Every structure is written in C-alpha cells, then in structure tokens.
Amino acid sequence: MPILKNLGVSDPKVPRAGTLPLRSSQNPFEEVSGLEEEEAGEPGSLPNGASCRRRATLEKLAGLSPFRLGWAPGRRAGSPGDGQPRSFLGRVLVPGLRRSSADFGLLARLQGTRAHGDEEAAGEAARRLAFLRLGRGSKPQRASLAERVVPAGEAAPEPPPKVPEPPKMKEPLSVLEILSLIQQRELARADEHILELEAEELASSGGGAPGPPKAEGAGGGRRARDVALLYEALQRELWALVRETLAGPGPGAGAGAGAVAQLGQVLVQEEAADGRRGPEAARKLRARWAEAVARAARERLEAAAPGAPGGLAGQLEALRARLLEDMAVVRGRLAPAYPAGLCAFSVYLRGYHGALAEWLGASARRRLPLADRYALLHWHNQVYPREVLGLVDIAALENGELGPLLSPGTLRGLEDECVTDVKAQTRAALLRVLQEDEEHWGSLEDQPSSLAQDVCELLEEHTERAPRISQEFGERMAHCCLGGLAEFLQSFQQRVERFHENPVVRELLPDTYISKTIALVNCGPPLRALAERLARVGPPESEPAREASASALDHVTRLCHRVLADLLFQELQPHFNKLMRRKWLSSPEALDGIVGTLGAQALTLRRMQDEPYQALVAELHRRALVEYVRPLLRGRLRCSSARTRSRVAGRLREDAAQLQRLFRRLESQASWLDAVVPHLAEVLQLEDTPSIQVEVGVLVRDYPDIRRKHVAALLDIRGLRNTAARQEILAVARDLELSEEGALSPPRDRAFFADIPVPRPSFCLGLPLLLGRLPLSRLARPSLACLPRPRPPTLVRPRAQR
C-alpha cells in the first residue's frame, strides 16, 4: 500500500481523497456495453458520497486491452467470484483466444470516439504543464533514490539482476486482419493464418487436437463460416491475379513476379493441407487454379478474335498472334516465378489449348461458307501444329501430348461438307463456262478461247488447297473434281459434235471455221493433264473417271483433226489426181503443188499446241502417203518393160525424198512412213524373184496391214505374168499373214495399207480348166493367161404380162 501511494495509485478498496468518480457521461464504454449494474453486495458509495461501482482502478484498467485477450460469454459484470480480467464489454478475457469478427467490428466503431477524447485530454495537459514551467522556472536536478539511501562516501550497491521476461506468444490475427492481408495481396501469409484458423475450428469442433475452450452459442458455426468466407476471398484474389498476369509482358500491365510467387506458394501450402484433410475434405486449389487459367485463356482469346478483319481466316490469325504473345509471357515471366513442382507452363499451355478447342468447336458447329471451312481445316491441321505448337516445348508437358482441337468426327463432317459444296459449285460453274464459250463458236469474231484455262482454275482452286490440309482430304477432293471434270468433258464432246455437224457454220464462216476448230483442239492438252494429275492424286476408284475423261478428249481431238484434214485434202485432191500418169513421169508439177499447199497450211496449223499438232502432222503425213500410193496400187500405171519400171522406181524415190523433207520441216514424228515408197520402188525395179521375195518380206514386216492383194496389185503393175514366180512371191506374204493371224492388228495411227482398197484380183486359169474348155492352141497366147474373175450371173425376173 505505501508503494501504491508513492506511485499515486489508490487502493481499490479504500477510496483516496480527491479521487473523482467516473460518471456515466465521462465513460466512453458505458454507452456501448449496455451492462447491468453490479449486485447489491458491493459497496455503493465512497465517504465523499461518490459512487465506486465504476471506479477506474488499475485492476479494472488491466482488462481493457482488446488486442491481446479473448472473451468468454456467460458471466455478468461485477458478479461475485469472477476474479478474472474482463473486457470493456464485461466478458471474461481468456489468454490465447482469437478475437472474432464481431468484437473487431465494435472496436472499429469505438476507435474514433476514444481517440478523439484522448487527443483533447492530452492537449489540455500539455498546455497546463507548459504554464507551470513558466512559473517555477527550470526544473532542478533531483537525486536518484540510490543516492538518497546510500550515505556519502560509500560505493553504490550493484543493481539487482534483471529477471528475464517470459516470451510473448504469437498473437493470432482476427478475421478482418486476415482479410486485410488478402486485399493487400499478402496471399501466402494470409493463407497461413487461414490454415491456423481452420485448425482451431477443427479442434474446437472435436475433430482435431485439444484447443482453447469451446465457445457457446453460434461461435463454432461462425468460425466455420469465417473460414469459408476467407477462402472465397483468397480464391477471388488468386484467380484475379491469374487474369492480371496475362495482360501483358510489362510490369504495369499485370502483377509482378512476387505476387505470382505467392500464388504458387499458396498452391503448395494448400496441396500439403489437402493431404492432411483427406480426399473428401480436400479443397483442390491446384485443380481450381488450372480451371482459372483456362477461364483466363478463354477470355483472352475471345477478346482477340471478334475485332479481326477478314472473316474467319482473319480471326484465326488473330488467335495465333494472341496465343504466341501470351505463351511468350508465360515462358519468360510467369512460369519461372511458380514453384517447379506445379509445372506452370504445362498448365497454361493446356488451358490455352482447351480454350482454343472450345472456340474452334463453336465455329465448326455454325453453318460456314466454303472458304471459311477451308480456312478452319487448314489452320487446324497445318498452322496450329507448325506455327504454334512447333514453337512450344511439347516435351515439357506433364502428361504427354495434347489432344486434338477438333474430334475426328467433326473434322470428317467439315470435309464432307466441303466435298459436297465443291461438287455442286463446280458442276454449275463448269456448265456456265461452257455455255458462255459456246456462244462465241458461231460468231464472226476470231477471239481466243479461255475455256480450258477457266476450267483448270475452277478445279485447281480446290485440288491445290485440299492436299495442304491433309493427304486423305486431298485424295477425296481430287476424286470429286475428277468426276466433275469427266461429266464436263462428256458435255463438251456433245457440243463439239453438234458444232461440226452444222453445215451452216462451215458455209457461212469458212475463214473462222478452221480457227474455231484449232481452238477446240487446244482445249485438250491442259484438260488432259489435269485429269491425269487428279487421277494420280486420287484413290484407285478414280480410274474410271480418268478413262472417261481421256475418251471424251480423244474423241474431240480425232473429230477436229479429221475435219481439218478433210478440208486440207479437199484442196489437195486435184494435185493427187495428176499422180501416176505419163505426165507425172516427166513433170514434178503435181508433187510441187502438194508440197506447196501443205507448207502453206502448216503455218495456220502451227497455232495448235504441240501435242495435238504433232498428232495432226503425223496424220497428215500418213494420209498424204496413202493418197500418193493409192493411184499406184489401183493400176493407174502399167510397166511393160524394164526401162519403164526403172523410170517409175526412180520417180517414186525422188517424190519420197521430197515428201520426207517436207514433213521433217513440219516436225512430223511419223518416221515409220519414210520407207514405204522406197520399198515399193524396189519391188518394181528388182528383176530376180529371190530379191523380190526378200523385199516383199521386209515390206510385210514393217507394215503388218499389207495383204496379198496389195502384193498382187504391185506385181501386176510391174508386169509379172510368170505364174510360178507370182506364187513364190505371194507365198511369202501368205506365210507372214498366217504367222500374224493371232497378233493384234496395228493401231489406227499405224495403219497404212488398210486404207488403200485395190480392185478385185485377177486369177490364173488352172490347167484342168484350160484343158477341158479351151483349145490347146489358145494357151500359147499370154494375154489369156490371166483373166478377170467372172461375175456371178444376174437373175433377171420376167416382167409380168399385163
């Protein structure tokens, strides 16, 4: 008590003189607490008449610290036997308990009133002390307590040793303080306190280790709700941080690496806590983090796509640029800030992959135009694997490769739609192009045709894009386009036939008719090359369509060649009529006319493309020699002497050499025709039978379509009447014919003698017939050795009598 008096503190039981009681208007806690009056057993007044029920003693002030102690409800303020420190709310303070959110809210409301009163009291005291210093002067130096107790001249005793203070316990944070940490993005520290609060809640509910006394009423449920609300707030900040980190590479566009590191630390702490919670109570923040990454990726991609120009192709290009930009941010700034065990790069890549798959799937389900479907398939199969995943370390993925963006069924459906649209569009477009070109066939204007170019462009647009998507899709598109081309060429063939069958066109347009025919022939090579290329790319089922295309083009080419050749040989026919006559032996006029006309027409025919031109020149070469040999084998000229045979053979060799030079200049590839006329000249000039047999054998070997009637006609021209010699020579042709009966006939472009008809062969009278019907004196006449074959008698019906 003396010590207390010296310190200036009154005894709680004995009132001190001059001590003023705290009235209701002066106590800031009396208006808030709403506590009841103390019980009647306590002293009600002091000797000076003041009330002592709310006296501000040290014992009562000790319980006013709301920052270190908890409370326990259920006891009234001033109840007998309480003996425990109390808060300003009158609740028992238990050391070590965490303040609840309700107490913290009350304190927050009272801080303003109490702080305002303290500031006014402190200011008044400072002014009063300053006035007293001015009246007393400077404060004198006062001796310490040790100097007053120890006599002068003696040494001062050593101060007593300091008693070590007990270590202060770590003060648990309130719910609002933890929430404040979350809002300040001190996420790892906040998560630690949430885990502690969760552990306290489990212990108080009887599910964990023993903890502080269990609160009565709704305290336990309130603490569980606090934990749940804190976790919700924590997750909101975590996923907001995930979104902000993808905003851009600069520090101003998103959170720094420190915040990302705290996010990763929270995930590691929660994953360890899930191991203690068990599978049923696990919060699985790592899986939710992956979902948050996927949501953020979806938002980023959806924000990039709509504003891109150029339709779906432009949107896909914007997605590619955004994806590469964000993955660069993840690789360079975000992934290194996460703990290595989280595989952050793999999580972000899978999140973007899944978001992109959703976007592409939604686009594929819409009714897209053909160009957009092409763009979608090409981006899925080529651009994304090469330009996106090719730049990303796929080997760093945690669970192997990524799945496909679109399912095989969706891809097959897109391809089927493309094939169907291409079949319908190309069929209509090809018929429209053919109809527009046909309208110019009957015009007087000689303008070049672009039919083949237009057809190739229409089909190649699809046949070139499809293989760049996938090989299988390229095969399907090639088969589709080849079928459409075959149908088009059949229609083209029918219209060309109608064009040439129309006599009005040939009569009214003699000048442009040849040019139109050459233009139609020129359509063949590019269309044939396109059909062959499509057949090579397409599946084996494309062979029938290729054959149909080739057949239609061959028919058109042969028809046009025949028309052009007929027109040319109509002009050459007067010159061919002058051959194999007596004037022909002495004058080259007929052959000069043939060579000059062919050379002049060759300039017009040279506008034809190389492939059909070579075929036409070869046909003209063959037909020119056929027309040259035809009058010879028809017996227009007879050689009655060796001199005449020598002149005829020489003339034949000269004409053959001149024709050979002409067609070489015309670039004819039918060199197999060069030897036919020289062989005939040799058969006419040779005198001995064995040499003639050898030459006939060579002729039959080189030209398999020659027959005995052609050889017999040739022997008649040279004047060979010897029956035995004729039979020996004809036997060579007969033997070769018999040996080649099983062989196939030569192709049409290799046929020569088959196009040369000969008169009915003469026959020799056999010996029995001669002996029985003719006198022996007449057998010596050589003119009767061979007679023409008698014709069968004609039956003449008698006229009916009237």
Side-chain angles (χ1 to χ4, degrees), residues 212-499:
K214 183 177 179 180
E216 297 180 3
R222 180 169 53 197
R223 185 175 298 168
R225 288 194 302 270
D226 289 343
V227 172
L229 293 174
L230 287 174
Y231 265 115
E232 291 180 4
L234 177 64
Q235 291 183 56
R236 281 196 299 270
E237 290 297 325
L238 291 175
W239 312 153
L241 183 61
V242 170
R243 290 192 302 270
E244 294 172 6
T245 53
L246 292 173
V260 178
Q262 289 199 44
L263 191 155
Q265 185 177 353
V266 169
L267 296 177
V268 172
Q269 294 173 178
E270 288 296 327
E271 191 171 16
D274 284 345
R276 298 189 298 268
R277 295 181 182 121
E280 296 182 356
R283 297 189 180 274
K284 301 179 181 178
L285 252 65
R286 185 170 179 178
R288 297 184 182 182
W289 166 59
E291 296 174 358
V293 169
R295 287 194 301 271
R298 188 182 309 113
E299 294 173 0
R300 293 280 295 170
L301 295 181
E302 291 177 353
L312 186 61
Q315 294 179 6
L316 292 172
E317 178 61 23
L319 289 179
R320 184 193 66 83
R322 174 60 58 86
L323 204 153
L324 291 178
E325 175 186 353
D326 288 357
M327 293 311 299
V329 173
V330 172
R331 179 188 293 276
R333 185 168 58 89
L334 301 182
Y338 282 98
L342 294 178
C343 300
F345 185 77
S346 173
V347 172
Y348 276 88
L349 180 59
R350 291 185 185 278
Y352 272 91
H353 185 81
L356 188 60
E358 293 180 7
W359 194 93
L360 293 181
S363 300
R365 286 188 293 271
R366 299 198 303 267
R367 180 60 183 172
L368 298 174
L370 181 60
D372 287 350
R373 280 198 295 271
Y374 272 133
L376 181 59
L377 289 171
H378 181 259
W379 198 90
H380 176 274
N381 290 10
Q382 299 297 328
V383 176
Y384 183 68
R386 182 180 64 250
E387 300 184 14
V388 178
L389 297 183
L391 305 177
V392 175
D393 188 9
I394 300 299
L397 292 179
E398 182 180 3
N399 297 323
E401 297 182 356
L402 297 170
L405 291 174
L406 297 176
S407 65
T410 303
L411 292 176
R412 184 72 178 188
L414 289 173
E415 293 177 358
D416 292 341
E417 293 176 0
C418 287
V419 170
T420 303
D421 288 354
V422 167
K423 183 180 297 184
Q425 293 181 12
T426 54
R427 179 181 300 171
L430 291 176
L431 291 178
R432 183 177 62 254
V433 168
L434 179 58
Q435 184 175 359
E436 293 176 356
D437 193 76
E438 187 182 12
E439 294 175 355
H440 300 293
W441 295 354
S443 64
L444 297 175
E445 299 179 0
D446 186 11
Q447 52 183 339
S449 174
S450 61
L451 178 63
Q453 181 181 357
D454 295 340
V455 171
C456 292
E457 289 178 356
L458 284 173
L459 296 180
E460 287 175 353
E461 178 184 359
H462 307 289
T463 58
E464 291 180 358
R465 296 183 66 175
R468 292 198 293 263
I469 295 174
S470 67
Q471 181 179 358
E472 181 183 0
F473 184 49
E475 294 178 358
R476 296 182 61 195
M477 188 59 67
H479 180 64
C480 169
C481 293
L482 183 57
L485 179 62
E487 296 179 3
F488 164 79
L489 291 178
Q490 292 174 2
S491 178
F492 176 64
Q493 172 189 340
Q494 297 172 1
R495 302 191 183 213
V496 171
E497 291 174 352
R498 290 199 301 266
F499 171 73

Side-chain angles (χ1 to χ4, degrees), residues 537-554:
V537 176
E541 294 81 8
S542 303
E543 187 61 23
R546 186 200 66 81
E547 294 177 355
S549 302
S551 175
L553 289 174
D554 290 342

